[in-house]
Amino acid sequence: MAGIVMGLMGKGRRSALGMMLAGTMLALLPGGAARAEGAGPAAELAARTCATLAARVDEIPGSGPVFLRSYDNAYAPGPTSEPALSIAAFTYDNALAVIALNGCGKRPQALRIGEALLDAVTLDRAGYKGRLRNTYRAGAQKQRPIPPMGWWDAVENRWLEDPYQIGTATGNVAWAGLALVTLGEATGEKRFRDGAAELARWVADKTADPRGPGGFNGGVQGFDNAPQLLTWKSTEHNTDLVALFGRLGKGWEAPAQAARGFLDAAWAAGNGHFPVGTTPDGVTISHATSGLDAQLWPLLLRDAPEAWRGALAYAERAHGVDGGFDFNDDRDGVWVEGTAQAALTYRALGRRADADRLFAGLLADISPGGFLWATRPAVLTTGLAIGPDSKTDDFLYYRRPHLGATAWATLAALGLNPFTGTRVP
């Protein structure tokens, strides 16, 4: 209820009620108001997004495992015409929500999502242990094994699934592992760390690729009877893996070095920035487009070289737009999730004034339901393709209330680095 009340204030407008609610939430955050540094834009953003994330979990009856819907269609301008998104709970978004909720001091809500991730790790429907699908159905998770996303098509009179959603992207597995490591560190319960290690083993066994710059490939896409190996490699995915293997610690040094070696090779090939990864041959560095997360996330890694800070200067030039950052370098609008990532990166590098400037804009990105919009324009290009069979750059973002954008805004507002599990000023 609190998340809905705050959301209805809309577009970042501050009111006496809004500040009262923000103050109440700050008292509940780890470290209280001192952690979020008073009543500035970061503190207000943390209060409002923490309340919204917790409310979304609490709306699902019971206390058992849940996945949250990635796109908050109830508060979008109109119903989505895409059944594949209407009740979709993307693994990446839910992993972010776990880390954010734990940082908010909302551990019971974080645990409900974490338990669903842990159950999904235990046994995939195809018999894999340690494999996660990119997307599950939102809501209470009562079936075992937890089924991936699918929907009944009344026109075709059959059950349908999306090849990306039932696939397994390496980076999504890494983020789920980081979420479970976070819960393991927070609770002291070994089963969460064991679940993260199971995910790391799947990645090491199924996606390691020593060709060219080494590292790990993109994962698997497609239906269970005809899976397609994604042979390209992603700078973002390998960054995620450096963080996961590093958090797991002893025994994971070799795969951590392989992922880090890929980043070093990408940096060397980028001449002052990080290319998005390789072409499908797994060897040739791709310069076809630029990705904001590829520039920012390596800077959040523990022991990131100081030279890598040049990637932020590159991001400002190539991705910077009025009020924030675009996903790619065509600069056709603000990608809200990436702008939140930039705010956290600014904080991590000691540029708090730049972060606060972005926080003020992120407050205005809060939708009526409390989630942040995924974009400021109606449609945002990325320069990427959804899958190996795509004929065009068809991976687009739309202006929908988005769980991932909301969770990143929470992490940035709290100053919580999801790769290290530590706070930044």
Side-chain angles (χ1 to χ4, degrees):
M1 181 64 179
I4 296 174
V5 170
M6 291 182 196
L8 289 174
M9 287 187 278
K11 301 301 181 187
R13 291 191 298 272
R14 301 188 185 188
S15 66
L17 175 61
M19 294 308 295
M20 178 184 72
L21 289 172
T24 301
M25 268 301 301
L26 284 171
L28 302 177
L29 296 177
R35 176 71 73 185
E37 297 187 15
E44 185 177 352
L45 185 64
R48 295 175 67 175
T49 55
C50 283
T52 294
L53 291 173
R56 287 296 176 274
V57 176
D58 292 341
E59 287 169 2
I60 302 173
S63 58
V66 302
F67 282 128
L68 294 184
R69 188 170 54 191
S70 286
Y71 292 98
D72 200 2
N73 300 313
Y75 299 100
T80 177
S81 60
E82 301 176 61
L85 292 182
S86 61
I87 57 169
F90 286 87
T91 297
Y92 164 76
D93 296 335
N94 278 267
L96 284 170
V98 169
I99 302 170
L101 281 164
N102 186 72
C104 291
K106 297 293 186 179
R107 190 169 300 162
Q109 290 86 350
L111 283 168
R112 290 187 70 186
I113 305 174
E115 295 287 1
L117 286 173
L118 193 58
D119 284 343
V121 170
T122 304
L123 181 64
D124 182 75
R125 74 177 184 189
Y128 294 106
K129 192 172 184 180
R131 177 183 178 180
L132 287 178
R133 306 300 177 128
N134 291 328
T135 318
Y136 295 90
R137 289 198 297 276
Q141 302 299 312
K142 299 178 180 179
Q143 291 181 247
R144 297 296 181 275
I146 291 179
M149 176 62 190
W151 67 96
W152 181 260
D153 188 282
V155 175
E156 297 191 31
N157 197 35
R158 66 188 180 101
W159 187 256
L160 297 180
E161 292 179 335
D162 176 85
Y164 170 79
Q165 290 186 346
I166 65 167
T168 302
T170 301
N172 294 340
V173 176
W175 275 100
L178 288 168
L180 293 178
V181 168
T182 297
L183 290 178
E185 293 171 350
T187 65
E189 294 187 38
K190 183 174 178 291
R191 62 196 180 98
F192 291 113
R193 180 183 174 84
D194 288 346
E198 202 68 64
L199 292 173
R201 272 189 287 275
W202 187 91
V203 169
D205 290 345
K206 303 295 183 181
T207 72
D209 184 349
R211 296 176 304 159
F216 299 84
N217 66 36
V220 177
Q221 176 147 322
F223 304 107
D224 289 354
N225 62 350
Q228 295 175 274
L229 184 65
L230 300 175
T231 54
W232 46 261
K233 300 171 189 174
S234 162
T235 300
E236 176 231 305
H237 288 186
N238 280 274
T239 302
D240 308 338
L241 291 171
V242 172
L244 174 60
F245 294 139
R247 292 279 286 276
L248 288 172
K250 187 176 181 180
W252 295 97
E253 294 87 353
Q257 290 169 5
R260 172 57 191 270
F262 180 90
L263 296 186
D264 289 334
W267 176 254
N271 190 28
H273 77 287
F274 286 99
V276 292
T278 74
T279 63
D281 67 10
V283 175
T284 306
I285 297 292
S286 174
H287 299 279
T289 188
S290 180
L292 180 64
D293 47 9
Q295 311 312 319
L296 302 179
W297 292 9
L299 305 183
L300 298 176
L301 291 173
R302 197 181 306 277
D303 300 324
E306 188 169 348
W308 286 4
R309 297 188 179 195
L312 179 55
Y314 168 85
E316 291 171 329
R317 296 192 306 271
H319 296 262
V321 295
D322 185 23
F325 289 82
D326 188 11
F327 184 100
N328 64 345
D329 53 358
D330 66 1
R331 303 174 68 190
D332 61 345
V334 170
W335 180 39
V336 174
E337 177 184 331
T339 298
Q341 295 166 13
L344 180 59
T345 305
Y346 276 140
R347 290 187 69 167
L349 298 185
R351 295 174 57 178
R352 184 57 192 261
D354 290 314
D356 284 342
R357 173 176 52 82
L358 296 181
F359 286 135
L362 291 169
L363 277 171
D365 290 315
I366 298 176
S367 73
F371 276 4
L372 274 71
W373 300 102
T375 68
R376 290 181 192 162
V379 182
L380 197 69
T381 62
T382 67
L384 302 176
I386 292 176
D389 297 326
S390 298
K391 304 302 182 185
T392 62
D393 300 337
D394 55 357
F395 178 18
L396 305 173
Y397 279 109
Y398 296 90
R399 185 171 169 79
R400 295 189 176 108
H402 184 216
L403 174 60
T406 307
W408 267 110
T410 307
L411 294 172
L414 293 173
L416 177 58
N417 184 336
F419 285 159
T420 63
T422 58
R423 304 272 179 166
V424 299

